[in-house]
Amino acid sequence: MDKQTPLPPGQRLLDHFPRFGLWQYATRLHSVPNSLNLSLRYGSGEAITLDEKRLADLPRIEQTSDFHCVATWSVCDLEWSGYRFRDFYEQIVLSQVAEDPGIDRVIFSCSDTYQAHMLLDDLLADDVMLADRVNGEVLGFEHGGPLRLVAPAHYGFKSAKHLSTIHFNNSLQGYRTPALHWHEHPRARVAYEERGRFFPSWFWRYIIGRPGLPTVLFWFRRVALKRNQNGSPRGLT
Ligand SMILES: Nc1nc2c(c(=O)[nH]1)N[C@H]1C(S)=C(S)[C@@H](COP(=O)(O)O)O[C@H]1N2
Ligand SMILES: [Mo]
């Protein structure tokens, strides 16, 4: 983001990019693999495995974008590298399927058991990526390696890290919210401050987001340090 441009409503700038998430996921990292282990499901079809070579056939893109967490922190100018989600959809997903059973949403499952879902239309925007590099380095465990979603126009909780299954679907069957059903906004667009489904945005900013923030940041840093001492996989320093 151009430093002249104000941050989106209710956000504050952090000077570093923390590892973050719902805190029950901070410790669920034993199952995060170092190399890509990704499946694709379309409608009620069987899951197929996608290897790195298949992804590497897509054009590689680089993108500089900002990242906004619903808990009110933002970081600017992250340099992502990877594949445009729309290219992935058009060149890999659509080439596997004969008919469209009314697909309108996508459920992302992650190897730490986290899940996120987005509307297919939102995912086809120019700036949505499957990223495997950030700031010039291979995406390590810390920020969602081996592969994560990056959807800058949506709050960070939609940008699923450590992707393991991408399910194109016509319902939310198979999705189990990692947070509370009454909280989660289905689109979570930053520009409209869609922080939660109910309650006004000040509630999420001042009652939930800001007071909880230092605790969660502290907890994630602690878990990351511990994992590092025990011999960390690539990317956690
Ligand atoms: N697999 C997984 N993806 C996740 C989360 C998580 O806990 N696990 N947390 C989400 C939230 S709330 C945010 S803000 C971002 C944080 O990304 P970062 O750890 O790279 O800062 O990841 C999102 N994707
Ligand atoms: Mo977040």
Side-chain angles (χ1 to χ4, degrees), residues 17-22 25 67 69 73 110 112 114 142-143 148 156-157 159-162:
F17 184 27
R19 175 171 173 83
F20 200 81
L22 285 170
Y25 294 93
F67 191 92
C69 169
W73 60 266
C110 311
D112 60 355
Y114 186 86
E142 186 168 18
H143 287 299
R148 79 175 294 167
F157 71 86
S159 288
K161 300 183 281 199
H162 320 298

Side-chain angles (χ1 to χ4, degrees), residues 25 31 74 76 85 102 160 200 212:
Y25 294 93
S31 46
S74 293
C76 288
F85 193 88

